[in-house]
Amino acid sequence: MKSTHHTLKALMLLTACLLLFSLNLLVGSVSIPLTAVADILLGRGSANPTWQFIVVESRLPQAITAMLAGSALGVSGLLLQTLFRNPLADPSIFGISSGAGLGVALVVLMMGGTVSVGICSLSGTFAILFASLAGAVLVMLLILFFSTIVRGHAALLIVGIMIGYLASSAISLLNFFATEEGVKSYLVWGMGNFGGVNSSQLPLFSVLTLLGIIASALMMKPLDALLLGDSYAQNLGFNIRRLRFFLLLVTGTLTAVITTFCGPVSFLGLAIPHLAKALLHTDSHRQLLPATVLGGALLALLCNLVCMLPFHWGIIPLNAVTPLVGAPVIIRYLCKSSW
């Protein structure tokens, strides 16, 4: 009976995702009829080339990006909260987002938006993508290195927080000495945006994100064992250090990819697992993980839709919307817990 209820709730989430996905394709500064959007998606084309371009090159990639990014951040948050048995752990806690931010700050604030590697030179969006990925991967490798030295979960958590503080300190110094134009460019990147992935970048983004989510799904059994403690998991034959290394690798990669393409997205990774648990009333990852994937997609699509609502006044920054959704969830959890 309980599994039937979980299936029904999953179907409700899926239906809501499809509805919000459709709304993301319809809502925007340019009004496009539903029939025209359907014809474009079905490959029939449109009599209006502008509509075709807007749907195929802008709204569709943005909606897909929002779905995948929300799912990836939600899954990352769930893995970290299980690994550290800390309900307030989230993907940004290890400083990976700060590492990506530091990479972008170096390029935008110090190098004028251009990266030169040997005879190759990157500028604009490509330079920001390269710098963000390099910074995120560097911090992720640093965390993975410390995970082989530090034994306790709590100590590793503190190491990650300290690395994040160091990166934030370097960013503050770069901002202090940067030009006004550079500071503005960096500020815009830091606001987050699901529209930063174009149609040519979407396949790479999708493959990397889906691989991370699939890798997470393969870890459902050891994650359930971790809920009962490290000793219990070891008695079942799981190598705790190896398991921790793999979970950090998966969450670090997902966080690096999302931050690289979308900027530092706040609150989603922290709030989505709590919403999934509140909906299903279970700690079993066999039910929680699919619900987190669907819930993450749903919440990200909702935030993206809210960002686009004030059509004629521009698009609201993503990180101005995500706290409105995420913060009440965390406050509700803290009020219900014994903290």
Side-chain angles (χ1 to χ4, degrees):
M1 191 62 135
K2 189 177 284 189
S3 62
T4 305
H5 285 163
H6 289 165
T7 303
L8 286 173
K9 288 175 180 178
L11 288 173
M12 288 170 57
L13 284 174
L14 182 59
T15 304
C17 281
L18 292 174
L19 177 62
L20 278 174
F21 185 84
S22 303
L23 287 173
N24 271 263
L25 298 181
L26 291 170
V27 173
S29 56
V30 177
S31 179
I32 304 176
L34 177 60
T35 53
V37 173
D39 286 339
I40 292 168
L41 293 178
L42 293 172
R44 298 171 188 159
S46 172
N48 190 328
T50 304
W51 290 354
Q52 174 95 16
F53 180 84
I54 290 171
V55 172
V56 175
E57 297 295 330
S58 177
R59 292 185 186 176
L60 184 60
Q62 190 168 353
I64 294 173
T65 300
M67 286 182 66
L68 292 173
S71 297
L73 290 172
V75 166
S76 297
L78 179 63
L79 297 187
L80 290 174
Q81 287 171 17
T82 301
L83 175 63
F84 292 103
R85 291 188 286 281
N86 186 336
L88 298 180
D90 80 322
S92 63
I93 201 165
F94 285 110
I96 294 173
S97 298
S98 298
L102 179 57
V104 173
L106 285 169
V107 170
V108 173
L109 303 177
M110 194 173 174
M111 302 178 185
T114 303
V115 178
S116 296
V117 183
I119 59 172
C120 297
S121 182
L122 298 173
S123 60
T125 304
F126 292 103
I128 289 175
L129 286 175
F130 174 81
S132 177
L133 184 61
V137 169
L138 199 62
V139 172
M140 184 182 72
L141 292 174
L142 197 58
I143 292 295
L144 290 174
F145 168 73
F146 278 113
S147 74
T148 62
I149 299 173
V150 179
R151 288 182 177 274
H153 293 326
L156 184 61
L157 204 61
I158 293 170
V159 168
I161 293 170
M162 292 304 106
I163 290 174
Y165 276 129
L166 288 172
S168 298
S169 176
I171 292 169
S172 298
L173 286 172
L174 289 170
N175 269 302
F176 181 78
F177 292 107
T179 62
E180 184 179 342
E181 184 181 348
V183 171
K184 184 178 179 181
S185 298
Y186 181 76
L187 184 64
V188 169
W189 176 83
M191 289 177 178
N193 177 25
F194 289 138
V197 181
N198 57 41
S199 56
S200 61
Q201 297 166 345
L202 187 60
L204 175 63
F205 175 81
S206 301
V207 168
L208 292 174
T209 307
L210 288 172
L211 284 175
I213 294 173
I214 291 169
S216 304
L218 298 175
M219 303 299 292
M220 286 190 285
K221 188 175 179 180
L223 284 168
D224 282 339
L226 281 175
L227 289 174
L228 300 173
D230 291 353
S231 299
Y232 182 83
Q234 280 179 325
N235 290 335
L236 289 178
F238 296 112
N239 185 311
I240 298 300
R241 280 202 166 190
R242 193 179 302 164
L243 180 58
R244 183 173 67 175
F245 184 90
F246 183 78
L247 289 175
L248 289 175
L249 180 63
V250 172
T251 55
T253 302
L254 285 173
T255 306
V257 171
I258 302 306
T259 308
T260 296
F261 286 94
C262 306
V265 181
S266 63
F267 274 101
L268 292 186
L270 182 59
I272 291 165
H274 290 288
L275 286 173
K277 290 175 184 177
L279 179 67
L280 299 182
H281 303 290
T282 181
D283 288 324
S284 171
H285 289 83
R286 191 174 296 277
Q287 284 83 39
L288 269 182
L289 199 67
T292 302
V293 169
L294 291 173
L298 178 66
L299 204 59
L301 284 169
L302 177 62
C303 291
N304 192 56
L305 186 63
V306 173
C307 288
M308 295 189 295
L309 282 179
F311 322 122
H312 304 295
W313 293 276
I315 298 174
I316 299 175
L318 181 62
N319 282 334
V321 175
T322 51
L324 299 177
V325 180
V329 175
I330 304 307
I331 293 171
R332 177 181 176 275
Y333 168 78
L334 291 174
C335 290
K336 288 186 69 177
S337 68
S338 58
W339 281 39

